[in-house]
Amino acid sequence: KKPKPLVFMSFFVSESKKQSPHLQVLMRRFSFPDIDKHIKLRAIIKVSLLGFLGIFIQTQSLLASKYYVSSSSGNNANSQAQAQTPATPRQALSFAISQAVSDDSIVVLAGNYNEVNLTINKRLKIFGNETGGVPGVGAKPVFQASAAPSLSSYFIVTSTDVTIQNFDLRVNQITVMRGIFCPGAGFSRLHILDNHIFSTSTSGLYEFNSYGILMGQAASSATLDSFLIARNIIRPLAFGNSYFGRGIRSFGGFGRIGGVNPADSNQIWGIFGIQNGGSRGKVQIFINHIFGSSAGIEINIPAANQLHIVAGNTFEPIPGLESLAMMEIKNNTFSNSIIRVQNNLFNRFMYTGII
């Protein structure tokens, strides 16, 4: 009596009538009574499928499109094909985002824009301007909302694999409170590059609940979400404008602010320049120029089993203000959480360098 063949393609629907004829043929051809052959072939098929998925993902990236937006010369009635040239762009970035698909790019041409709460809910690269066919280079488009709902942000990121590069974002600290905002988990591999994020209120010395960049919240923190923040300027637009409460604030997540190359340095001003809490992975803060009042950097509850590095930064109090501490480390209670503070320069502080 013949032994029953083993069917290994368990990830397909078991009823043959629900499978394509091609899959039925494969299953008949590659069914064996020998368990060793079954296991080996199953491994080969899995590897082949992974290779196929890799090719599929790469093909999807190659098929990605680039679209253009211009507040002055654009028209949202332009077709998808027309919007792929700078001569016939779309007018609203919000509309361009809604029409794009994952892995597309959008180039926002130089000009003034009045849009807020631009939700990026798919894998997109959003560039300010383009020079010589290179996106993210040239005069920065300026986003300055004249009217906005309360607690607005310019960009709200809810997807992985998002790039925001080369924008001028003006946070009025009255209705627009954040330049770039990730309201919770799910923004991994976020790149924020070459932006100017300015605070513009004149109503007081600072607005504590305003942020240049806010990633996660106390009520919905980031999880294993990674970020890279490089070559940005986050500060008041001019002398006399209110300071951000936090230049960069992260609840959870992990990543790098700055870089090992001095060209990747950020300039960050805030009552807290950088406030990092509850990280879920390695935190690296490299070669930035940080101005603070309560603290240039606060690191709170860093992740276990990680070497966190703060290196090569320059710390200074906000001009005209005293600083309680240039760097504050607290609640470092998890096992094997190591914080290396190395080769930093602490300038002009009156009270405490590191507390």
Side-chain angles (χ1 to χ4, degrees):
K1 188 175 178 181
K2 283 187 176 181
K4 282 189 174 182
L6 295 170
V7 178
F8 60 87
M9 301 186 89
S10 58
F11 42 81
F12 291 116
V13 180
S14 59
E15 298 175 46
S16 61
K17 67 181 180 180
K18 292 184 181 178
Q19 298 160 353
S20 72
H22 301 294
L23 291 178
Q24 292 177 39
V25 170
L26 279 171
M27 292 179 73
R28 285 198 297 272
R29 183 176 296 173
F30 298 123
S31 298
F32 296 95
D34 187 314
I35 187 66
D36 291 330
K37 288 182 181 179
H38 159 62
I39 292 171
K40 288 176 183 176
L41 190 57
R42 183 170 183 172
I44 291 168
I45 293 295
K46 281 186 175 179
V47 170
S48 299
L49 282 170
L50 287 172
F52 169 77
L53 286 171
I55 293 168
F56 175 77
I57 292 167
Q58 187 176 19
T59 303
Q60 288 294 98
S61 297
L62 291 172
L63 294 175
S65 299
K66 179 169 66 174
Y67 299 99
Y68 291 87
V69 172
S70 171
S71 60
S72 58
S73 63
N75 187 334
N76 288 342
N78 287 337
S79 68
Q80 290 285 80
Q82 288 174 315
Q84 292 184 52
T85 65
T88 52
R90 296 261 168 69
Q91 184 177 47
L93 178 53
S94 56
F95 185 72
I97 291 171
S98 73
Q99 298 302 298
V101 298
S102 285
D103 302 314
D104 282 347
S105 299
I106 300 174
V107 174
V108 182
L109 299 175
N112 295 310
Y113 294 79
N114 193 32
E115 298 183 74
V116 294
N117 297 323
L118 295 157
T119 299
I120 307 174
N121 56 4
K122 58 196 85 171
R123 299 186 305 272
L124 293 177
K125 293 179 174 64
I126 314 289
F127 296 107
N129 218 341
E130 180 178 272
T131 299
V134 179
V137 179
K140 292 173 170 55
V142 176
F143 280 68
Q144 185 166 11
S146 57
S150 61
L151 297 177
S152 286
S153 309
Y154 285 111
F155 290 104
I156 301 175
V157 180
T158 62
S159 172
T160 63
D161 302 283
V162 168
T163 295
I164 301 171
Q165 184 171 355
N166 200 46
F167 287 89
D168 180 328
L169 308 177
R170 304 197 176 186
V171 178
N172 65 30
Q173 302 172 285
I174 300 168
T175 55
V176 181
M177 300 300 289
R178 301 162 294 225
I180 298 171
F181 179 39
C182 307
F187 61 83
S188 198
R189 297 175 296 280
L190 171 64
H191 288 188
I192 301 175
L193 309 171
D194 301 305
N195 302 287
H196 292 173
I197 306 177
F198 295 127
S199 54
T200 64
S201 174
T202 57
S203 62
L205 186 62
Y206 64 88
E207 173 50 60
F208 191 69
N209 290 317
S210 65
Y211 307 81
I213 300 168
L214 175 59
M215 298 175 289
Q217 305 175 82
S220 55
S221 66
T223 54
L224 292 175
D225 296 293
S226 60
F227 54 80
L228 171 63
I229 301 173
R231 304 187 301 273
N232 301 280
I233 295 174
I234 303 172
R235 61 167 175 79
L237 178 63
F239 182 78
N241 290 123
S242 303
Y243 298 109
F244 283 115
R246 276 61 67 90
I248 298 174
R249 175 67 164 115
S250 60
F251 288 87
F254 66 98
R256 178 179 293 179
I257 300 174
V260 295
N261 187 333
D264 290 329
S265 171
N266 301 282
Q267 184 188 124
I268 306 164
W269 297 52
I271 299 305
F272 288 89
I274 299 172
Q275 199 174 33
N276 177 270
S279 65
R280 299 299 183 90
K282 182 185 296 185
V283 174
Q284 299 176 325
I285 303 174
F286 291 153
I287 318 182
N288 302 284
H289 199 164
I290 303 167
F291 295 83
S293 177
S294 288
I297 293 177
E298 178 192 85
I299 297 178
N300 186 15
I301 324 176
N305 303 310
Q306 299 291 340
L307 173 60
H308 309 283
I309 303 175
V310 180
N313 302 281
T314 298
F315 293 82
E316 297 189 52
I318 290 174
L321 296 180
E322 298 174 352
S323 180
L324 300 178
M326 291 284 84
M327 183 173 180
E328 181 180 1
I329 301 171
K330 59 186 184 182
N331 298 315
N332 186 23
T333 56
F334 289 125
S335 62
N336 299 314
S337 170
I338 300 170
I339 302 172
R340 177 184 294 168
V341 181
Q342 177 179 335
N343 295 334
N344 298 282
L345 177 63
F346 297 88
N347 278 340
R348 299 187 300 105
F349 63 92
M350 292 183 63
Y351 297 108
T352 308
I354 302 174
I355 187 171

